[in-house]
Amino acid sequence: MIRVSEIEEYVFCPRAWWLRRVMGIEPESREKLEEGEEFHRLHQKRVFALNRLWAVGVALLLAGLCLIFLAVIQ
């Protein structure tokens, strides 16, 4: 049986889930665990920001291509 907390842990960090649930390795200290969680939160924010920037870049590229196409057909 899989608990909801295990799914949440796996989604947050599959490696941490594997180390804890499969290998039976517990975190050495609460402080290190909290540092790791903070690192993951910061990394997630950066990834989301980069994804947004990438989407804006693609949108600008498509808009530029549309402008070039319109300039060529006129």
Side-chain angles (χ1 to χ4, degrees):
M1 180 179 278
I2 298 174
R3 296 182 187 100
V4 173
S5 61
E6 288 183 56
I7 295 171
E8 178 186 18
E9 184 179 1
Y10 182 83
V11 169
F12 185 70
C13 182
R15 182 74 171 164
W17 178 89
W18 182 80
L19 287 170
R20 179 179 252 173
R21 307 296 175 181
V22 176
M23 299 302 293
I25 300 173
E26 293 294 325
E28 291 180 14
S29 71
R30 192 71 176 140
E31 183 179 306
K32 284 186 179 182
L33 180 62
E34 289 172 358
E35 287 174 11
E37 289 173 349
E38 180 60 29
F39 172 80
H40 279 89
R41 278 190 288 278
L42 181 58
H43 178 69
Q44 183 180 29
K45 286 181 183 180
R46 289 177 179 160
V47 168
F48 286 151
L50 288 173
N51 285 340
R52 284 191 300 269
L53 286 174
W54 185 84
V56 168
V58 169
L60 289 172
L61 176 65
L62 292 174
L65 291 174
C66 287
L67 289 174
I68 290 171
F69 177 74
L70 290 174
V72 168
I73 63 170
Q74 287 183 353

